[in-house]
Amino acid sequence: MDRGLFIAAAGMRAEQTRQDQLTNDLANAATPGYKRDRTTQTTFGDVLLSATRDGRAVGAVGLGPYADQTVTDLRAQPVRETGEPLDLAIEGDGYFAVQTPQGVRYTRNGQFTTSPTGTLADARGNQVLGQGGQPVPVDAQGRVAAGAVGVFALRDPRKVGEGEFQGTAAGQAPGVVRQGALEGSGVDPTIAMADMIASLRSFEAGQKSITTIDETLQKAANQVGSATGN
Amino acid sequence: MLQGLHAAAAGMSANQSRLDAVSNDIANVNTTGYKQNRVAFRDLLYVRDGVEDVQVGSGAGATTVGRGYAQGALQVTDRPLDVAIAGPGFLRVDTPDGAALTRAGDLQVDAQGRLATRDGALVAGVRPLPTGADATVKIGEDGTVRTADGQELGRLQIVNVPSPDGLRPLGNSRFAETAQSGAAVAANPPETRVLQGNLEASNVDMSTAMVDLIESQRAFAMASRAVQSQDQMWEIANGVKR
């Protein structure tokens, strides 16, 4: 009987993770170049039940779901015009590369600015790199030359925060840099909201299962053993 | 679980910053030489959730990445002491707190005949104007100030910095140089010209600003909905044991 308790608890735990991820998506509904996350859920191994008298197999029971992997939806999103010369967007596949103190990181968020030395930098002051890994100069008009900013292909991209991805560089990507535009956030608010409600109700259902099992256990403990039967 | 609550709060806070910046832009839609704010968004740190290959983000953050330095529209005023800067650069002025840079060129003459901005910051590099010369003064495209009979009184110092985004706003349309902006150097024609009898309007585009306002407001509302949802999950979790 207590097996059911743990199955329900595992389900609630998995929904918590899903809810946290949806929350992060909604918090980033207006973040340029943001890519939404999904968590895949899988089940703990099944346990084969057997009859106690003759050992005959009676069937499998699951041990509940758990979140096993984060999957990021990396599809390119539509770009929107901003008119700012240092807002850059990649149309199509590829990433900007920035030189951070932790090494080269990749991003789709092109809200760039100028460094004190007159080169292109990201919002935190990291150098944006050209295709050859060199800094990108910003001219006296506050613009960068077409094609000066590198677009890199990336294998196994993984989010590391601050809008950045880590992965294995794989040369040039086919994406085209567009000036004066930003890539929209990959969050679809409608879907995120609907998922959030679904997740909440699923969480609630887990709670109901636990309280129901709890009641049954209570009856087993207090009533079955009682001589009067109530 | 606390993670989600904090992530939602971070999202609200980031969008609040953007709302503030856009509101400030809208308030300055008619301010001479005003440049709109640029607020950059980013997602925050990702942390591992449990033992599996699952990571959860910590919400969103906003940082100001300076100003949009797009040229504002030039308005012809025909007032001799109105100057607009066409192209990149700033007019250097002296305030009691030190040198500053501005693009608000609605100048005036103070009691001692000195050229000053509307709020009294003195224009650097120009000698006091003779009495009555303020109506006939000629200012060239390179910033040279001359009286009607050709006497040179000095030159407006039009300068630019390597990274205008690094300038520190001082209020009153003035900015100060910082280590992030780099040192100011002279900005010369033909890139930068001084146009007498013109004023540079605010570069805030009202329709873009309104769309930004709506977007940040909706994003704020969604993050706050996520706070509610997280709160409901807590309530449900608390209901496990009655």
Side-chain angles (χ1 to χ4, degrees), chain A residues 126-216:
Chain A
N126 299 316
Q127 292 280 358
V128 179
L129 304 178
Q131 201 64 54
Q134 75 283 13
V136 179
V138 179
D139 69 16
Q141 302 286 334
R143 289 167 198 282
V144 290
V149 181
V151 181
F152 297 83
L154 199 59
R155 266 200 305 273
D156 310 323
R158 186 182 175 82
K159 282 190 190 180
V160 289
E162 307 291 348
E164 292 162 359
F165 290 83
Q166 202 177 357
T168 319
Q172 200 167 350
V176 177
V177 176
R178 181 128 154 247
Q179 288 195 29
L182 287 173
E183 186 188 16
S185 168
V187 177
D188 182 329
T190 322
I191 293 176
M193 281 299 200
D195 283 354
M196 185 161 249
I197 294 165
S199 170
L200 183 71
R201 291 303 168 204
S202 181
F203 187 78
E204 196 174 19
Q207 186 245 41
K208 287 275 183 275
S209 304
I210 290 179
T211 48
T212 307
I213 294 167
D214 185 32
E215 277 167 29
T216 319

Side-chain angles (χ1 to χ4, degrees), chain A residues 13-229:
Chain A
R13 181 76 192 80
E15 288 307 332
Q16 265 180 33
T17 304
R18 191 163 153 217
Q19 191 83 2
D20 284 352
Q21 231 146 30
L22 286 164
T23 299
N24 190 50
D25 278 0
L26 284 175
N28 285 290
T31 305
Y34 177 79
K35 302 294 170 199
R36 66 182 172 152
D37 286 322
R38 280 293 169 270
T39 300
T40 55
Q41 294 185 1
T42 188
T43 58
F44 283 111
D46 292 343
V47 172
L48 202 62
L49 292 179
S50 54
T52 44
R53 270 181 65 188
D54 53 6
R56 182 173 45 89
V58 291
V61 61
L63 288 182
Y66 69 103
D68 74 330
Q69 207 183 358
T70 298
V71 180
T72 307
D73 178 0
L74 294 168
R75 283 176 301 172
Q77 298 299 319
V79 301
R80 63 180 173 92
E81 295 281 341
T82 63
E84 283 301 324
L86 295 185
D87 279 348
L88 305 183
I90 298 176
E91 283 184 309
D93 291 335
Y95 295 84
F96 299 114
V98 289
Q99 184 69 51
T100 71
Q102 294 80 37
V104 178
R105 295 280 186 270
Y106 300 87
T107 183
R108 297 268 306 178
N109 183 352
Q111 285 180 305
F112 295 139
T113 171
T114 357
S115 73
T117 52
T119 53
L120 194 65
D122 73 3
R124 293 194 303 149
N126 299 316
Q127 292 280 358
V128 179
L129 304 178
Q131 201 64 54
Q134 75 283 13
V136 179
V138 179
D139 69 16
Q141 302 286 334
R143 289 167 198 282
V144 290
V149 181
V151 181
F152 297 83
L154 199 59
R155 266 200 305 273
D156 310 323
R158 186 182 175 82
K159 282 190 190 180
V160 289
E162 307 291 348
E164 292 162 359
F165 290 83
Q166 202 177 357
T168 319
Q172 200 167 350
V176 177
V177 176
R178 181 128 154 247
Q179 288 195 29
L182 287 173
E183 186 188 16
S185 168
V187 177
D188 182 329
T190 322
I191 293 176
M193 281 299 200
D195 283 354
M196 185 161 249
I197 294 165
S199 170
L200 183 71
R201 291 303 168 204
S202 181
F203 187 78
E204 196 174 19
Q207 186 245 41
K208 287 275 183 275
S209 304
I210 290 179
T211 48
T212 307
I213 294 167
D214 185 32
E215 277 167 29
T216 319
L217 283 174
Q218 191 193 2
K219 287 210 166 74
N222 297 340
Q223 292 183 7
V224 175
S226 142
T228 56

